[in-house]
Amino acid sequence: MNAHGAGVGAVAEDIARLGASIFARGLTPGRTGNLSCRIGDEIVVTPTGASLGSLDPCQLAIIDLEGRPISGAQPSKEAGMHAALYRARPTARGIVHLHSTHAVAVSCLADLDERSALPPLTAYFAMRVGRLPLVPYFAPGDPALSVAVEEMAREHHAMLLANHGSVVAADDLLSAADAAEEIEETARLRLLLGDSPTRPLTSAQLGALAQRKERA
Ligand SMILES: [Zn+2]
């Protein structure tokens, strides 16, 4: 028995619990979406073809930071994207990738601002997500998607993948899930508002929020 082994078991339980909650709330349909946690130089990630609603904590995959399988089940074909994000963000310990309906819908809109795919409509979006850039479309599992994500992740912890969904890295798995949910809710608001003129937070309001976050 070693501390590392205990760590994998604990995060596997966390991943399965969060997956069930995400699936029960309809935040990623069918067998889409994947979750991971980093422990040292290893990544515990959901397996290929799995529904987040019925994950077995004993049947997750372990990969290295290059995305190569180490042990356990066969990793999700999107696991390489998780490894790329962890390489770009050394302090990240949890990643949530969802195909949540409204975020995917926004990711399909023509003429999206690629630097900021969703406006900062609310304080929570500004605090949990910040600026949300759009990653160009690549097929899921395409190594080019990992390259694009790794490059963008050096500046951003949350991204919208064109015609695909959201991906968020954070200090822990639950914080990543909070941000992914915030993206989904803000995408829903954006679609509800349609063509109505909107009033996103001003740069002064965003600056004040950033200061409060630093003090917290
Ligand atoms: Zn995906």
Side-chain angles (χ1 to χ4, degrees), residues 4 14 30 37 53 70 74 92 107 149-150 160 164 176 205 207-208 213 216:
H4 183 70
D14 290 346
C37 288
I70 296 176
Q74 190 185 343
S107 83
V149 163
E150 184 168 357
L160 193 64
H164 185 163
Q205 288 165 334
K213 202 174 163 188

Side-chain angles (χ1 to χ4, degrees), residues 49-216:
S51 162
L52 294 192
S54 53
L55 293 170
D56 178 347
C58 300
Q59 292 293 323
L60 301 185
I62 299 182
I63 62 171
D64 68 15
L65 286 169
E66 297 302 320
R68 294 175 296 229
I70 296 176
S71 62
Q74 190 185 343
S76 159
K77 64 178 179 297
E78 297 185 302
M81 178 174 73
H82 290 242
L85 255 166
Y86 287 118
R87 289 196 300 272
R89 303 192 70 82
T91 61
R93 290 295 174 269
I95 291 175
V96 171
H97 165 55
L98 302 179
H99 295 190
S100 58
T101 306
H102 299 87
V104 176
V106 165
S107 83
C108 299
L109 289 174
D111 303 325
L112 267 186
D113 179 350
E114 292 178 7
R115 293 183 65 252
S116 176
L118 282 170
L121 292 173
T122 66
Y124 281 103
F125 181 84
M127 290 189 291
R128 289 178 174 159
V129 179
R131 187 156 66 76
L132 182 74
L134 182 74
V135 179
Y137 175 80
F138 296 98
D142 183 338
L145 177 59
S146 298
V147 172
V149 163
E150 184 168 357
E151 200 172 301
M152 217 170 263
R154 295 198 185 100
E155 302 270 326
H156 300 278
H157 76 289
M159 287 156 271
L160 193 64
L161 312 177
N163 304 79
H164 185 163
S166 62
V167 64
V168 181
D171 294 345
D172 58 76
L173 189 63
L174 289 182
S175 300
D178 284 345
E181 289 189 53
E182 203 59 47
I183 292 170
E184 171 62 7
E185 287 306 308
T186 303
R188 196 151 77 97
L189 294 175
R190 162 74 182 75
L191 296 170
L192 276 171
L193 290 162
D195 293 333
S196 307
T198 58
R199 197 181 55 229
L201 299 187
T202 64
S203 38
Q205 288 165 334
L206 293 171
L209 286 170
Q211 278 187 3
R212 276 177 54 172
K213 202 174 163 188
E214 274 169 25
R215 283 201 301 268

